[in-house]
Amino acid sequence: MANETRPRTDLAAPGRVKDLSSVSNPIVKDIRALAAKKGRDETGLFIAEGLKLVLDALEAGWVLKTLLVAKAELHGALLAKAAARARAAGADVVEASSKVMEAVSRRDNPQSAIGVFKQKTTALEKLAFGADGVVVALDRVRDPGNLGTIMRTVDAAGAKGVVLIGDCVDPFSMEAVRATMGSIFAVPLARVSEEAFLRWRRDFKGLVAGTHMRGETDYRDATYSGRPVVLLMGNEQAGLTEPLANACEALLRIPQAGRADSLNLGVATGIMLFEARRKALKL
Ligand SMILES: C[S@@+](CC[C@H](N)C(=O)[O-])C[C@H]1O[C@@H](n2cnc3c(N)ncnc32)[C@H](O)[C@@H]1O
């Protein structure tokens, strides 16, 4: 862990190849510190695991600072290719022992490649909705698994982005990134306060559709086509705040049977997204 007595190691030193076997090495300690929000906030970096995912991220133009590769698996052609691509992109490549890979991933069976990337978000005003694109806005989402699942679903549905409103879970936490299954690198992400979202909403010409347990409109009866759409989803415990609910043109409900009070946020978002996309695409 970086501390006041020891300066942080240069995770971004260009193109170097290092051989690491000890978990007490300062480079390993600094990478491990990225598991905590404090470490991510201080450096603006985050960890993403998986060989294909690292290659896809490089392809999409994300900035890779350091690539850890499992030394024992370096004979694999794809891993060697990833290491070469990373070096060409100016990243520091670290050949690590399995102990180091386990310590960084905090798992028994770590992936063969772990990337340290620079975080990236988009300004809300810069989100490209297109003529009839759908964006999901999440009010104070707290669960990293829900957020990751939603980003993955947004990606799969061909939606245009995710807006995090208010005090949300960190999208760059290891758990959230894992749950995105790589979609963290494909889905534009904006972060705003509730006030900033409400200000932006005043000039937004598309449909802002909230989902609410007290919504009066069946989600299948809404008209989503012909203009951009924001699907506003509520917090896992409390649902949407009153100001956000009041800012919606429509409050939609997914009819339920049985005894469950509500659907899981990720499941509700998936249902809403595919309905909105189906109608927008007239499928
Ligand atoms: C777990 S629910 C929140 C439940 C909360 N106790 C409430 O009363 O709003 C989280 C979010 O998922 C969405 N959601 C869950 N079930 C829904 C349903 N049947 N209809 C519409 N939205 C739903 C809403 O956006 C809701 O705010």
Side-chain angles (χ1 to χ4, degrees):
M1 177 93 187
N3 56 37
E4 281 165 19
T5 53
R6 179 177 67 76
R8 201 174 268 118
T9 54
D10 184 4
L11 291 178
R16 290 182 306 179
V17 180
K18 286 198 164 53
D19 190 343
L20 288 187
S21 53
S22 164
V23 292
S24 55
N25 182 289
I27 294 181
V28 179
K29 284 188 172 178
D30 284 348
I31 296 177
R32 292 193 75 199
L34 300 177
K37 186 163 187 308
K38 182 168 178 277
R40 293 191 297 276
D41 287 349
E42 283 176 3
T43 58
L45 302 174
F46 71 105
I47 292 172
E49 303 149 281
L51 185 50
K52 181 175 178 304
L53 191 144
V54 166
L55 283 166
D56 287 351
L58 280 170
E59 193 68 38
W62 284 68
V63 177
L64 177 67
K65 296 291 191 185
T66 304
L67 179 66
L68 285 182
V69 288
K71 203 172 172 190
E73 293 174 51
L74 253 180
H75 51 85
L78 206 54
L79 193 57
K81 179 183 160 194
R85 287 276 326 270
R87 269 194 297 278
D92 198 9
V93 177
V94 176
E95 295 173 9
S97 67
S98 51
K99 255 198 186 143
V100 166
M101 298 301 276
E102 279 169 16
V104 171
S105 73
R106 290 158 202 265
R107 286 190 159 182
D108 285 345
N109 291 309
Q111 301 266 4
S112 58
I114 300 176
V116 175
F117 288 92
K118 197 167 167 227
Q119 298 178 17
K120 184 167 73 178
T121 54
T122 306
L124 176 55
E125 298 72 24
K126 296 241 167 81
L127 276 185
F129 281 76
D132 57 2
V134 178
V135 161
V136 170
L138 300 169
D139 173 20
R140 297 163 299 151
V141 58
R142 299 304 312 164
D143 183 286
N146 276 347
L147 176 54
T149 302
I150 289 169
M151 292 194 71
R152 182 179 177 184
T153 311
V154 161
D155 188 9
K160 304 295 186 187
V162 169
V163 182
L164 300 180
I165 304 173
D167 186 17
C168 290
V169 65
D170 184 359
F172 298 106
S173 73
M174 284 176 83
E175 208 180 336
V177 170
R178 261 179 202 149
T180 73
M181 296 294 285
S183 295
I184 185 82
F185 297 114
V187 175
L189 183 69
R191 297 166 97 163
V192 287
S193 65
E194 183 178 287
E195 297 71 40
F197 179 82
L198 292 170
R199 264 197 312 278
W200 171 87
R201 190 268 172 273
R202 284 202 290 267
D203 296 325
F204 179 65
K205 301 282 182 283
L207 168 70
V208 179
T211 51
H212 208 287
M213 304 314 295
R214 297 195 310 273
E216 287 184 350
T217 308
D218 186 312
Y219 77 110
R220 291 163 297 190
D221 295 336
T223 307
Y224 303 94
S225 55
R227 56 183 175 151
V229 176
V230 173
L231 286 178
L232 194 41
M233 309 297 300
N235 165 268
E236 289 95 337
Q237 259 80 51
L240 287 176
T241 64
E242 281 305 304
L244 287 174
N246 291 337
C248 293
E249 184 178 319
L251 286 181
L252 310 177
R253 197 170 49 83
I254 304 165
Q256 292 183 202
R259 294 182 53 192
D261 285 340
S262 62
L263 292 162
N264 162 274
L265 171 63
V267 170
T269 307
I271 293 172
M272 293 300 305
L273 259 175
F274 277 90
E275 179 66 6
R277 293 298 297 146
R278 186 178 73 80
K279 290 218 170 122
L281 296 173
K282 302 189 179 58
L283 297 174

